[in-house]
């Protein structure tokens, strides 16, 4: 490894991959992971929601040398046909190509992922599983069983956390192989990605679960809640961009509103984390000004303990490849689009690591810092 690459290796105690939900756009995350792996930056904790949970399972559920290959097997399985889209210069044709691909998905489903229910759920009796979703996701269970070693996940070599929503309470729930209680299986990953009304709820124990993105499409806050002494470099891989241009057509209106909807919790979590950091720093400054007798007070000691020790760098990578996107971009599973997204993830990580400020993110300093190093 070159000297420049060696100098960029972070000195944080943990490296965490935070994977947002976003359907077919998840190929971007797979590309980011491949580049991380090749740079020697593979995480020791991966957490995800929806398609992010599937990518997390493919990473945590395989040996380091097999992870990229298994990610590729999954994404090649769920993408098919339409491998040669119109040239990039023909924007209307590229968008038509995307619509054709998503129409095929809506009609026939996605191999190894989901298939349409026949007969339609509206014809099924109330309460039947087949009445609760448009698609059947049993192919995904078979794919996960084949490509993911859940015994390896539960052995705990890499921490894995996936988020879902309790259908009855509406509360966000995380399944975590580090909690000492939960043995993760395909059902936990499928629960995280059970987006209604397309996919059915998943029963685990006595509870039923839907897609974690219904409550929060990013698991960032789950990571930040880990403890006051967390020392981690966090790669937050977002599939929807919070920022975008003013739409000029009804299709762009629908696409832009989807971007805002699914990135809103990411913005909220980041803003809340920055606010908490300001309070932490103010608390430490105030305690330093206290006379010795007050600094020895139990309450002051508790505040000081809670305010010290955290060293977190959050590096954002955001899928901003939208020149040919439509409102249905998250269900465009064409091979050409998947390969484009995969390569975009790799390119964005390379550009991030080449940025002059990357070296600052790689240093574990007190407090919380955020970096978005790409324009």
């Amino acid at each position: 490894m070159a000297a420049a690459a060696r100098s960029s290796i972070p000195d944080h105690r943990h490296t965490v991959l935070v994977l947002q939900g976003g359907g077919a756009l998840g190929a971007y995350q797979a590309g980011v992971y491949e580049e991380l792996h090749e740079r020697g930056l593979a995480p020791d904790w991966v957490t995800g929601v929806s398609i992010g949970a599937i990518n997390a399972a493919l990473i945590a559920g395989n040996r380091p040398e097999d992870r990229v290959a298994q990610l590729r097997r999954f994404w090649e399985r769920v993408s098919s046909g339409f491998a040669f889209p119109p040239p990039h210069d023909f924007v209307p044709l590229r968008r038509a190509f995307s619509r054709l691909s998503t129409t095929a998905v809506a009609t026939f489903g996605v191999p190894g992922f989901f298939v349409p229910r026949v007969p339609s759920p509206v014809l099924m009796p109330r309460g039947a599983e087949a009445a609760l979703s448009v698609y059947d996701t049993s192919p995904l269970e078979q794919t996960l069983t084949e490509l993911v070693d859940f015994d390896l996940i539960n052995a705990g070599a890499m921490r894995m956390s996936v988020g879902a929503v309790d259908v009855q309470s509406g509360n966000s729930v995380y399944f975590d192989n580090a909690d000492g209680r939960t043995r993760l299986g395909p059902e936990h990953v499928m629960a995280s990605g059970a987006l209604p009304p397309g996919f059915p709820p998943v029963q685990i124990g006595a509870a039923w679960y839907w897609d974690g993105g219904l409550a929060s499409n990013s698991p960032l806050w789950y990571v930040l809640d880990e403890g006051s002494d967390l020392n981690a470099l966090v790669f937050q891989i977002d599939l929807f961009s919070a920022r975008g241009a003013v739409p000029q057509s009804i299709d762009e209106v629908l696409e832009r509103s989807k971007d805002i909807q699914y990135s809103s919790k990411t913005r909220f979590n980041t803003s809340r984390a920055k606010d908490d950091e300001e309070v932490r720093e103010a608390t430490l400054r105030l305690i330093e000004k206290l006379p010795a007798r007050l600094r020895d007070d139990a309450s002051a000691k508790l505040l000081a303990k809670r305010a010290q020790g955290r060293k977190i760098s959050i590096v954002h990578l955001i899928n901003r490849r939208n020149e040919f996107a439509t409102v249905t971009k998250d269900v465009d599973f064409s091979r050409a689009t998947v390969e484009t997204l995969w390569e975009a993830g790799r390119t964005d990580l390379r550009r991030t690591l080449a940025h002059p400020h990357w070296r600052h993110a790689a240093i574990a300093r007190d407090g919380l810092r955020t970096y978005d190093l790409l324009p």
Side-chain angles (χ1 to χ4, degrees), residues 157-185:
M158 175 184 285
R159 184 173 178 182
M160 175 177 136
S161 321
V162 297
V165 169
D166 186 306
V167 173
Q168 291 179 287
S169 71
N171 292 332
S172 181
V173 176
Y174 273 81
F175 305 110
D176 194 323
N177 66 349
D179 67 10
R181 304 184 307 273
T182 306
R183 182 172 178 80
L184 297 183

Side-chain angles (χ1 to χ4, degrees), residues 21 42 80 123 127 152 228 249 258 271-272 279 332 343 350 352:
S80 60
L123 301 176
L152 181 61
S228 60
S249 68
K258 179 180 282 189
S271 297
R272 181 181 165 189
V279 171
D332 179 3
E343 188 54 37
R350 284 196 292 266
T352 293

Side-chain angles (χ1 to χ4, degrees), residues 11-30:
D11 61 0
H12 299 76
R13 190 176 304 131
H14 301 287
T15 301
V16 186
L17 205 55
V18 173
L19 305 176
Q20 191 184 69
L25 301 176
Y28 177 87
Q29 296 170 343

Side-chain angles (χ1 to χ4, degrees), residues 203-237:
Q203 184 176 19
I204 300 174
W208 292 86
Y209 297 95
W210 268 332
D211 192 301
L214 291 176
S216 175
N217 200 38
S218 171
L220 176 62
W221 198 255
Y222 182 77
V223 173
L224 297 182
D225 266 348
E226 172 66 10
S228 60
D229 61 346
L230 180 63
N231 182 333
L233 171 66
V234 179
F235 287 99
Q236 180 173 311
I237 319 300

